[in-house]
Amino acid sequence: MAELKTFQGGIHPPYNKELASGKAIKPAPIPSEVVIHLQQHVGAPCEPLVKEGDRVEVGQKIGEAQAFVSAPVHASVSGVVKAITEVPNFTGAKVRSVVITPDATQPEFQKKPGKDLESLTAEEIREIAKEAGLVGMGGAAFPTHVKITPPSDKPIDTVIINACECEPFLTCDHRLLLERTDDLIAGARLLKTAVGASRVIIGVEANKMDAVDALRSRASSYRDVEVEVLEVKYPEGAEKMLIFALTGRKVPPGKLPSEVGCLVQNVGTAVALYEAAAWGKPLYERVVTVTGPGVREPANLLARVGTPVSVLLEACGGLVGNPVKLIMGGPMTGWTQPDAKTPVVKGTSGVVVLTSEMVDLGEESECVRCGKCVEVCPMFLSPNFIVQSTKRGQWDRAEMWGALDCFECGCCSYQCPAYIPHVQYVRKAKAEIAARKKK
Amino acid sequence: MALDNLVITPPPHLRSKEQTAVAMRDVLIALAPITIAALVAFTYNALFNIAVCVGSAMFFELVARKVRKKKVTLSDGSAAVTGLLLALLLPPKIHWLNMIIASFVAVVIVKELMGGLGRNIFNPALFGFVFILIGSGFLASWTGHLGFLPGGFDGVQAATPVAYIKHGLEGAPSYAALLFANYGGAISEVGCFWILLGGAYLIYRKVINWVIPVTILATVFILAYILGSDGLYQILAGGVMLGAFFMATDWVTSPMYRWGQAVFGLIIGICIVLIRLYGGPSGAVAYSILIGNAFVPLLDRAFKPRKFGEVVAA
Ligand code: SF4
Ligand code: SF4
């Protein structure tokens, strides 16, 4: 077998994708109450457009973006606004949210008369993305219209669709690749037009060869779309690693992919862009993989934004075993939840329940300088020295060892024999360094 | 739903099976062949030495942690490793008090007083060994007998294969003997084949990587030939193998980065040959590794890897 494309460093965690990869996407039940955060993304929070007691229709804009780096939010159900109140989001931070009581019966989504996708201009596509409230759906949730507005001095020639899904357990992107192949390719080509690129590369990890075959057979009719197979390794789907693996270009520290003429978008986002452009559908639902050894029947559910996690878990037959971690997102970068009330947001790719057999809550001990964290860090940082400097409050040093370049993939902590939670220290160092720079 | 046991932790939520304690256990497993060979060769003497060294190392660690009101970390196995390495460095006939002193220096002074496992600059076992080596030689010069107490070990050391290096190989043990047989010296000098076996296991288990042992052995081999000595004999005799695979690779006291490790190996290799040829034969490996240890902070700074995508300033 030929060498697969990849990057240097990284880890091979247990993937456990087989729990859910064979499960076709099916709609999740409509909950008795949806909670839609007015801030679902990186950037400024939205202002509510509705008030208590208002009737709303599914897809209606209920929160308006107040700044450029922001995205509007839409009602995910038809119903009545019950309250506008502060609710904790998946990180535990309290955010203003619109609580809606859905009607007993929900209307089918009516596709708007289609536009001719080939004739859309870059400007029009950006506007569509913005109005539909699109954000990166891989977890980071950066507003899409901002990302596809390239700086005028940095021409972009390559659009990369991140179809690695390198997070263990998650399979929502895999399902989209299989079930929405044409829509994904169409969405990817819209992204290409939006940034004026000349080609699209879809990067898929080698553990999804069925998706590679599907994509290749559909993409063969487009000369501007390539499908590339990548080594199965975490974090293959990290922007900088992916760009390097596919194009050999290295994004310099502190710079964005546009620096090397690339735009990276997630599978879900590309499909959502297609839906917004072709059907006039705003982003109010998404595929969420509900999985893990603690879930009775893992599934890929098409869930309305604002659906509490508990409803998704019930739809999967409830819990089994002794659940110790309830994670929003993937097990490498996701957030543990204190209960199952948390609502799904646009960036929620998965809900993973880990049982006691899979959770190793070892106690943090002293760094023994084994160098394993250095070996696995895909950014070639020195995680151990970042931690050491952070513990001593030496913020200049923490920065020198690479605190600001860490994108919190967690490889270092995964490998560390001393159970050091590097990511936690890095976050602290980043906050301190940022605070100091402001002064 | 049964969600009463949920815990909140920072990511990542998965982790490898690596643990400091598992790595130390692997080191003990890797030391098993040479330890067994030593026991076969020296029977009661080896058993006694190992028991005293391991026992006292663990005891001192326990007491030191208690006195400093720190969590007792005996279960990480590092004290046992230090004790065993110390025993393997010593000759079979040595007074027990020497061993206790070495073990005290290793565990209490070098390790615990520097802050515990992870903070020490020098390899504890080697430092303890060198302490009594120098101490007993020094004492011998004015007390008239060897060592702190009767039965000190410089006398034993004098007959070791290392002694031949400086004075010519006339009558020295053959290569085969060095690989497999008992030929005198420390109790670990009973065939470096057994050490190679353990070293291979450590590399296979990814506890250590090959850079440090290979650069040390290559440096000693090549430099010895350049200086007109038998390179192969040099790497097979004395503690070079044990030092290269088990002591220079000690996580805590070796450099973090590959290039730093290579230079570290080079420094140690050069020191070993120079000390053996131009200094006294005893403890050349131990001194060399301790010298290497002293360079570690510098090497870590000098060989900090360039961040992904970072370009060298023109
Ligand atoms: S330091 Fe940051 S980028 Fe490097 S492995 Fe750790 S989490 Fe990942
Ligand atoms: S992996 Fe952990 S113990 Fe090893 S050097 Fe890094 S921080 Fe230290």
Side-chain angles (χ1 to χ4, degrees):
Chain A
M1 204 170 73
E3 283 266 304
L4 294 175
K5 299 194 168 186
T6 191
F7 63 100
Q8 205 189 319
I11 55 170
H12 297 276
Y15 278 87
N16 297 74
K17 299 265 191 190
E18 65 292 341
L19 289 176
S21 59
K23 307 287 177 64
I25 300 167
K26 61 180 188 197
I30 304 290
S32 57
E33 193 174 281
V34 296
V35 179
I36 303 174
H37 298 316
L38 285 163
Q39 184 175 20
Q40 305 239 342
H41 43 70
V42 176
C46 291
E47 277 305 312
L49 297 174
V50 291
K51 57 185 187 314
E52 215 178 297
D54 281 1
R55 249 210 82 71
V56 291
E57 298 304 323
V58 61
Q60 180 184 330
K61 198 194 279 181
I62 55 173
E64 183 63 283
Q66 298 293 309
F68 179 60
V69 183
S70 183
V73 293
H74 302 79
S76 58
V77 290
S78 298
V80 178
V81 176
K82 186 180 161 198
I84 295 176
T85 171
E86 299 228 317
V87 177
N89 72 1
F90 62 97
T91 68
K94 290 209 162 182
V95 284
R96 232 170 143 202
S97 309
V98 178
V99 183
I100 304 172
T101 311
D103 298 339
T105 53
Q106 291 291 325
E108 288 266 319
F109 175 74
Q110 300 297 325
K111 290 183 188 175
K112 307 255 159 46
K115 289 189 183 137
D116 176 18
L117 298 187
E118 295 291 332
S119 66
L120 286 174
T121 64
E123 197 50 54
E124 284 167 330
I125 296 170
R126 282 201 281 274
E127 193 54 30
I128 289 170
K130 179 160 189 235
E131 277 308 301
L134 294 195
V135 299
M137 289 165 76
F142 194 80
T144 304
H145 68 274
V146 182
K147 216 172 163 184
I148 62 178
T149 306
S152 50
D153 55 332
K154 305 247 163 63
I156 289 182
D157 59 10
T158 306
V159 167
I160 293 173
I161 298 297
N162 177 4
C164 293
E165 203 163 46
C166 59
E167 267 275 2
F169 288 91
L170 303 187
T171 57
C172 52
D173 288 352
H174 188 181
R175 291 315 306 178
L176 285 174
L177 294 175
L178 289 174
E179 298 178 38
R180 306 287 300 275
T181 320
D182 288 327
D183 299 349
L184 165 72
I185 293 172
R189 298 184 72 240
L190 287 171
L191 289 167
K192 190 195 88 164
T193 310
V195 294
S198 56
R199 60 172 176 168
V200 172
I201 308 178
I202 305 176
V204 192
E205 276 192 350
N207 56 1
K208 292 180 268 291
M209 289 314 285
D210 51 350
V212 171
D213 293 341
L215 283 165
R216 284 206 167 133
S217 74
R218 297 313 178 91
S220 58
S221 42
Y222 301 103
R223 286 175 48 205
D224 53 354
V225 181
E226 298 157 43
V227 181
E228 292 275 8
V229 184
L230 296 147
E231 189 186 319
V232 181
K233 186 162 81 169
Y234 178 86
E236 194 76 76
E239 259 183 358
K240 290 185 178 187
M241 281 54 263
L242 185 60
I243 293 171
F244 174 71
L246 290 174
T247 68
R249 301 176 195 172
K250 289 185 173 179
V251 182
K255 298 288 191 200
L256 296 171
S258 56
E259 192 75 17
V260 295
C262 291
L263 169 81
V264 180
Q265 282 288 6
N266 155 275
V267 171
T269 313
V271 173
L273 178 61
Y274 168 80
E275 290 179 349
W279 308 346
K281 182 181 168 188
L283 178 53
Y284 63 78
E285 59 184 359
R286 67 156 298 146
V287 185
V288 180
T289 306
V290 184
T291 183
V295 175
R296 194 178 303 273
E297 291 159 26
N300 297 292
L301 299 177
L302 184 62
R304 305 290 170 104
V305 168
T307 306
V309 165
S310 55
V311 171
L312 301 182
L313 291 174
E314 269 158 40
C316 294
L319 300 167
V320 286
N322 175 19
V324 177
K325 285 194 182 187
L326 171 58
I327 303 161
M328 291 280 267
M332 289 304 295
T333 59
W335 298 74
T336 45
Q337 304 299 310
D339 54 48
K341 290 193 202 119
T342 324
V344 166
V345 292
K346 295 174 187 176
T348 307
S349 44
V351 173
V352 181
V353 183
L354 298 181
T355 48
S356 45
E357 302 87 60
M358 272 212 110
V359 179
D360 180 357
L361 296 171
E363 203 181 322
E364 176 179 353
S365 55
E366 194 72 35
C367 165
V368 286
R369 295 179 38 94
C370 68
K372 306 218 175 211
C373 52
V374 172
E375 229 159 89
V376 296
C377 177
M379 291 299 290
F380 312 155
L381 311 177
S382 304
N384 61 314
F385 288 134
I386 301 176
V387 171
Q388 192 187 67
S389 312
T390 304
K391 280 186 179 168
R392 294 180 183 165
Q394 298 168 330
W395 309 114
D396 299 353
R397 290 231 170 159
E399 190 175 345
M400 178 192 88
W401 292 115
L404 298 184
D405 302 288
C406 166
F407 63 96
E408 305 179 13
C409 67
C411 290
C412 45
S413 309
Y414 176 86
Q415 210 69 35
C416 177
Y419 290 82
I420 293 171
H422 304 76
V423 174
Q424 196 179 18
Y425 287 103
V426 165
R427 284 181 183 160
K428 185 167 168 210
K430 279 182 181 169
E432 282 288 340
I433 295 167
R436 255 141 232 274
K437 289 208 166 145
K438 262 198 204 128
K439 275 188 210 156
Chain B
M1 269 184 286
L3 288 173
D4 314 326
N5 299 331
L6 291 186
V7 293
I8 304 288
T9 64
H13 307 295
L14 295 176
R15 72 180 311 282
S16 68
K17 301 254 182 289
E18 310 223 3
Q19 291 172 14
T20 306
V22 171
M24 292 299 164
R25 199 189 63 201
D26 276 334
V27 174
L28 291 175
I29 293 174
L31 283 171
I34 188 66
T35 306
I36 293 169
L39 286 170
V40 169
F42 300 106
T43 57
Y44 167 77
N45 280 327
L47 186 66
F48 177 75
N49 287 7
I50 291 171
V52 171
C53 288
V54 173
S56 59
M58 292 175 76
F59 173 77
F60 286 132
E61 165 137 324
L62 181 79
V63 173
R65 302 295 293 191
K66 287 260 191 237
V67 168
R68 293 175 62 232
K69 298 203 180 356
K70 294 266 170 119
K71 203 179 132 256
V72 174
T73 46
L74 272 187
S75 58
D76 72 19
S78 71
V81 168
T82 299
L84 182 56
L85 285 175
L86 182 61
L88 290 172
L89 286 168
L90 297 172
K93 293 211 174 85
I94 174 168
H95 195 278
W96 58 271
L97 238 170
N98 274 327
M99 295 193 274
I100 303 238
I101 291 167
S103 169
F104 177 83
V105 170
V107 172
V108 177
I109 304 211
V110 182
K111 197 170 118 187
E112 290 304 327
L113 290 188
M114 298 289 287
L117 182 65
R119 302 271 185 93
N120 48 301
I121 294 172
F122 294 105
N123 182 309
L126 283 175
F127 203 94
F129 167 72
V130 164
F131 183 83
I132 54 165
L133 184 64
I134 295 175
S136 50
F138 177 67
L139 276 180
S141 66
W142 54 273
T143 56
H145 61 71
L146 297 172
F148 286 121
L149 291 153
F153 65 98
D154 241 346
V156 186
Q157 195 83 356
T160 67
V162 185
Y164 294 100
I165 290 172
K166 203 171 173 185
H167 310 296
L169 294 181
E170 209 71 27
S174 68
Y175 297 142
L178 290 174
L179 265 174
F180 295 105
N182 158 26
Y183 46 76
I187 65 166
S188 58
E189 291 180 56
V190 285
C192 44
F193 174 77
W194 307 112
I195 295 172
L196 276 170
L197 205 64
Y201 175 76
L202 286 186
I203 291 176
Y204 163 74
R205 293 279 297 162
K206 297 206 170 90
V207 174
I208 63 172
N209 72 57
W210 55 269
V211 177
I212 292 173
V214 168
T215 43
I216 292 180
L217 296 180
T219 308
V220 171
F221 185 79
I222 295 168
L223 186 63
Y225 272 114
I226 292 176
L227 296 178
S229 175
D230 183 340
L232 187 58
Y233 186 86
Q234 286 249 12
I235 60 173
L236 295 178
V240 176
M241 288 286 175
L242 190 69
F245 283 98
F246 287 91
M247 301 200 231
T249 54
D250 170 29
W251 284 348
V252 179
T253 57
S254 63
M256 298 283 295
Y257 311 115
R258 290 293 164 102
W259 282 106
Q261 292 170 350
V263 174
F264 177 73
L266 192 73
I267 293 173
I268 294 173
I270 292 173
C271 289
I272 291 175
V273 177
L274 295 184
I275 295 175
R276 276 182 169 178
L277 290 180
Y278 306 112
S282 319
V285 175
Y287 292 126
S288 303
I289 295 175
L290 291 174
I291 292 170
N293 290 161
F295 279 98
V296 168
L298 204 71
L299 292 174
D300 274 352
R301 214 159 276 223
F303 292 96
K304 178 167 96 77
R306 247 184 291 146
K307 294 170 194 165
F308 179 90
E310 195 172 36
V311 276
V312 251

